[in-house]
Amino acid sequence: KAGVTQTPRYLIKTRGQQVTLSCSPISGHRSVSWYQQTPGQGLQFLFEYFSETQRNKGNFPGRFSGRQFSNSRSEMNVSTLELGDSALYLCASRSTQGAWGYTFGSGTRLTVV
Amino acid sequence: KNEVEQSPQNLTAQEEEFITINCSYSVGISALHWLQQHPGGGIVSLFMLSSGKKKHGRLIATINIQEKHSSLHITASHPRDSAVYICAVFTGNQFYFGTGTSLTVIP
C-alpha cells in the first residue's frame, strides 16, 4: 500500500513568486491536511480538506490556499512568497473525518530567497 | 502564549532508562495526539487520546482531562527511540502543536 506522496521534495523560489505543492493521499483516504514546520514556530496547522471541502483552517493569511480534487489528491498554493514562508510543508491523510490514524508524507522543503 | 506546552525541551537518557515527556494545554480539546519525528522530517503518529491511558509496546500515553495534562512514557528506552516527540491537540476545528521534546538515548 503506497504511503502519502508529496511532490516536489525540494523547491527554491524567489520572493514574490507563487508556489503549488502536491499531496497524494493513501488510496481510500478522503481527508488531507496540511502543516507548516519551521525552526522558530514549530509545527502549525494550515487546513484540512475532506471530500473536496475545506473543513478546518488554521491561522494563516489568505496567501495560503488549498484545494482537493475528486480523487482526494490535494494541492496547496502560496502566493506572493515571503522569506518567512521558507519551511517544511507536510501533508497527512486519514480515512474518515473525526478519526486519527493520520499518515504523514515526507514533506516538501520550500526555500524562499 | 502557547496553547500547548511540552517539557522538557531536550532530554538525554541512558539506554534502558524510563522516560517521561509531559504536555500541558490550555484549550478545550476533543483529542490529544503524540507524534514522533525522526531526523529528516518523517512524522509518525503514535497515539490519539481523549481519556485514560493507551499502551503500544514500550510506549504508554496518559491523559488527565480535568488537569489538561498528558504524559508520554517510554519504558526500557533504546537508541532507536531517539527522535523529537510532539504533542498536538485538536480542538474540534484545528490543531495546536507543542514545540517538541528532543530525546537522545545513549547506548
Side-chain angles (χ1 to χ4, degrees), chain B residues 18-75:
Chain B
F18 180 85
I19 289 163
T20 296
I21 300 170
N22 295 299
C23 174
S24 296
Y25 54 91
S26 59
V27 293
I29 69 169
S30 59
L32 181 143
H33 310 273
W34 283 101
L35 309 174
Q36 180 193 57
Q37 186 171 30
H38 282 282
I43 291 180
V44 174
S45 166
L46 297 175
F47 293 105
M48 180 193 77
L49 296 161
S50 52
S51 65
K53 175 179 172 179
K54 287 190 176 179
K55 184 176 188 290
H56 180 68
R58 295 179 295 104
L59 301 178
I60 302 167
T62 64
I63 188 169
N64 185 317
I65 297 293
Q66 287 72 32
E67 295 186 3
K68 295 190 172 180
H69 181 270
S70 174
S71 293
L72 176 68
H73 306 285
I74 304 176
T75 62

Side-chain angles (χ1 to χ4, degrees), chain B residues 8 10-21 58 74-83 85 101-107:
Chain B
N10 297 286
L11 184 55
T12 300
Q14 292 288 331
E15 188 171 357
E16 293 292 319
E17 269 190 48
F18 180 85
I19 289 163
T20 296
I21 300 170
R58 295 179 295 104
I74 304 176
T75 62
S77 59
H78 189 276
R80 65 175 175 266
D81 297 326
S82 298
Y85 293 83
T101 294
S102 178
L103 171 65
T104 302
V105 181
I106 300 169

Side-chain angles (χ1 to χ4, degrees), chain A residues 35 37 43 56 90 100 102, chain B residues 33 35 37 45 48 93 97:
Chain A
Y35 307 85
Q37 187 175 37
L43 263 172
N56 300 301
L90 293 154
W100 185 246
Y102 283 82
Chain B
H33 310 273
L35 309 174
Q37 186 171 30
S45 166
M48 180 193 77
N93 54 32
F97 296 88

